Amino acid sequence: MFNLIYTTVFFASYGNFYGLSNITIGSFDIMLDYIVAIVCAIVFALILRLPLLPSKPYRYSFDVSAIYPTPIIAIGILSLFLVLNYTFMYNGLVLAVVIGVLSALFVKYLFDFVFPKPLDENTGEDINE
């Protein structure tokens, strides 16, 4: 299992699409970028007054929160940039902060438009409203 994690973390540092291995970053920088993106996404989502957890029951809730899906979106977008070997400045730290802030803004203002809530079968209205 640790070998899988090792190769997954180092995937972005092997080289970019064109094989230019001289412009790569290490695994410590990659993990630090992920942590910074997660923390920035959660903190900025809380500043935007998103709830920390969705409404109860958690299993059937389609509410957005600071814990889910905000950092998941930040990790996904940051992964795309790292796989393309675009890290911007300071080994990707500035990019991680920008992506964390933008993902919190996306979840707060655009998430319901892009991913609408499912309709309730009984009433024909949105669930959790």
Side-chain angles (χ1 to χ4, degrees), residues 27-38:
S27 63
F28 178 76
D29 293 327
I30 293 171
M31 293 304 291
L32 186 65
D33 290 345
Y34 281 133
I35 292 170
V36 167
I38 291 169

Side-chain angles (χ1 to χ4, degrees), residues 33-50:
D33 290 345
Y34 281 133
I35 292 170
V36 167
I38 291 169
V39 169
C40 286
I42 292 174
V43 167
F44 201 73
L46 291 174
I47 289 172
L48 291 174
R49 297 191 185 261
L50 278 174

Side-chain angles (χ1 to χ4, degrees), residues 45-87:
L46 291 174
I47 289 172
L48 291 174
R49 297 191 185 261
L50 278 174
L52 184 63
L53 294 172
S55 62
K56 290 186 179 181
Y58 300 128
R59 182 179 214 177
Y60 301 109
S61 177
F62 290 97
D63 295 338
V64 294
S65 65
I67 297 296
Y68 183 80
T70 310
I72 309 304
I73 292 172
I75 289 172
I77 295 172
L78 183 62
S79 296
L80 291 174
F81 280 102
L82 289 178
V83 167
L84 294 173
N85 209 6
Y86 181 75
T87 56

Side-chain angles (χ1 to χ4, degrees), residues 9 12 18-19 27 41 51 55 67 93 124 129:
V9 167
Y18 300 107
S27 63
S55 62
I67 297 296
L93 288 177
E129 285 192 7

Side-chain angles (χ1 to χ4, degrees), residues 104-116:
L105 288 170
F106 173 77
V107 168
K108 174 70 176 181
Y109 296 112
L110 296 175
F111 189 80
D112 290 331
F113 294 113
V114 176
F115 305 108

